[in-house]
Amino acid sequence: MRTMKAVNIYKYGGPDVLVYEDAPRPHPGEGEVLVRVHAAGINPVDWKIREGHLKEMLKHTFPLVLGWDVSGVVEVLGPGVKRFKVGDEIFSRPDISRDGAYAEYIVIRESEMALKPKTLDHIHAAALPLAGLTAWQTLFDAGGLSAGQRVLIHGAAGGVGHLAVQLAKWKGAHVIGTASEKNHDFLRKLGVDQVIVYQTVRFEEAVQPVDVVLDTMGGEVQTRSWKVLRRGGILVSIASPPSAEDAAAHGARQAFVFTQPNAAQLVEIAQLADEEKLKAIVETILPLSDATRGQELSQRAHTRGKIVLRVV
């Protein structure tokens, strides 16, 4: 088989630049694995790349396959691969500078993969890697969140947010989350200690000082968040780099996280999923051919949990 179905873009632009078509099937090189994609998660970074917002950082070439959240089965081993065998079920957040997973096949470096959670199907496994690693790296690597601390998570019902809530609770933190009224009960069931309905309450007037803020929104939400940080606390953003000057003015720290592949962390995330301590919520499942609709839904920013493309 020399071709596969894939969703390519040939230029930056709106959802209309996504093209579902036949494309050459890739081949694994040294230390790489060819994976038969069973499911691919959709994330905001996909449409941000499609619109060209990260073109200076990532230097992609066209045509480009989007999507860097994947669950599938190892089909071919490249030279030197030692940790996996043909038939292994894996999940991954692969290198975002290379072709992604909106396709029937993807080549992934062995160092970017882990065995998928045994208790999850491919749909739910594909919802975990990118958002799960983002939550892990913001809360723990950058934020240093520990038991007994207080964390405010903006967009707590979203793709990253709902996993960050569960990881923070697993760590033993007191969790506060902002969300819409419709997600109030959902977040309570996930274990959020205080839900702030942003339509009716200004969070900075309702939240006692916290040790960590996880900012998924940027803009004025990020600016207002300095008011709820205790001195020495940290604002970690995945939306836009926080101001070092604002941090200093509030006696706080700041960090910006752009998620990186990390197989060791994926192993821990898989274990938590199998122990039922971490659950990926999938709100919408679409066929690969409907990737355009999936990105449109993601761009509206009102999804609870994740959107996933079913490939097999």
Side-chain angles (χ1 to χ4, degrees):
M1 186 187 302
R2 296 182 178 180
T3 63
M4 64 177 181
K5 289 295 185 184
V7 178
N8 278 313
I9 64 170
Y10 288 81
K11 62 181 180 180
Y12 297 120
D16 58 302
V17 302
L18 292 166
V19 181
Y20 178 67
E21 63 182 357
D22 289 326
R25 195 178 91 162
H27 300 281
E30 181 78 26
E32 298 177 339
V33 171
L34 179 70
V35 172
R36 176 68 163 103
V37 178
H38 282 235
I42 291 179
N43 296 280
V45 71
D46 301 355
W47 54 260
K48 290 178 181 179
I49 287 174
R50 187 202 74 218
E51 291 187 339
H53 298 300
L54 303 178
K55 61 184 178 182
E56 296 303 321
M57 180 174 72
L58 295 174
K59 308 292 185 183
H60 286 124
T61 57
F62 298 120
L64 173 67
V65 181
L66 300 175
W68 294 274
D69 233 356
V70 60
S71 182
V73 177
V74 173
E75 183 135 326
V76 178
L77 303 179
V81 173
K82 302 183 185 305
R83 293 176 46 237
F84 298 93
K85 64 183 185 300
V86 172
D88 280 346
E89 295 186 320
I90 64 90
F91 74 149
S92 174
R93 186 287 205 183
D95 184 349
I96 211 162
S97 70
R98 307 193 337 165
D99 275 335
Y102 291 9
E104 291 180 322
Y105 293 90
I106 182 175
V107 166
I108 307 174
R109 296 187 186 98
E110 177 184 30
S111 60
E112 298 165 354
M113 298 165 27
L115 295 175
K116 84 167 184 63
K118 297 181 179 66
T119 58
L120 299 187
D121 58 23
H122 286 288
I123 292 290
H124 289 83
L128 269 177
L130 193 149
L133 287 175
T134 300
W136 189 287
Q137 291 171 17
T138 51
L139 291 177
F140 305 145
D141 294 350
L145 186 69
S146 60
Q149 289 191 319
R150 294 166 54 83
V151 58
L152 171 62
I153 299 171
H154 289 299
V160 171
H162 85 288
L163 296 176
V165 163
Q166 296 173 73
L167 288 174
K169 292 302 295 183
W170 165 70
K171 186 62 78 171
H174 179 93
V175 179
I176 306 156
T178 64
S180 62
E181 175 66 34
K182 70 175 184 178
N183 288 315
H184 183 281
D185 292 341
F186 167 69
L187 290 178
R188 284 293 191 185
K189 289 177 181 177
L190 286 184
V192 175
D193 298 287
Q194 181 183 1
V195 181
I196 306 295
V197 177
Y198 64 81
Q199 296 106 319
T200 58
V201 177
R202 291 184 67 83
F203 67 85
E204 67 270 34
E205 297 174 357
V207 174
Q208 296 298 311
V210 301
D211 300 281
V212 180
V213 172
L214 171 48
D215 166 41
T216 64
M217 313 297 290
E220 57 95 16
V221 170
Q222 182 184 104
T223 302
R224 290 160 52 201
S225 293
W226 295 111
K227 297 178 182 179
V228 304
L229 269 175
R230 68 165 180 80
R231 292 191 67 82
I234 185 167
L235 191 158
V236 185
S237 181
I238 61 172
S240 60
S243 163
E245 291 77 13
D246 287 346
H250 289 85
R253 296 168 293 135
Q254 52 80 30
F256 176 71
V257 171
F258 191 83
T259 311
Q260 300 300 314
N262 191 306
Q265 289 174 355
L266 283 179
V267 169
E268 295 193 71
I269 287 169
Q271 182 175 342
L272 289 174
D274 283 335
E275 293 172 353
E276 299 184 350
K277 295 174 182 175
L278 185 65
K279 181 179 181 181
I281 305 299
V282 177
E283 182 176 70
T284 304
I285 303 170
L286 298 168
L288 178 63
S289 58
D290 217 355
T292 298
R293 182 180 169 215
Q295 287 205 359
E296 289 171 341
L297 290 172
S298 173
Q299 206 156 355
R300 292 174 193 167
H302 295 297
T303 300
R304 175 187 291 180
K306 294 295 294 290
I307 303 166
V308 174
L309 299 175
R310 185 192 301 277
V311 182
V312 174

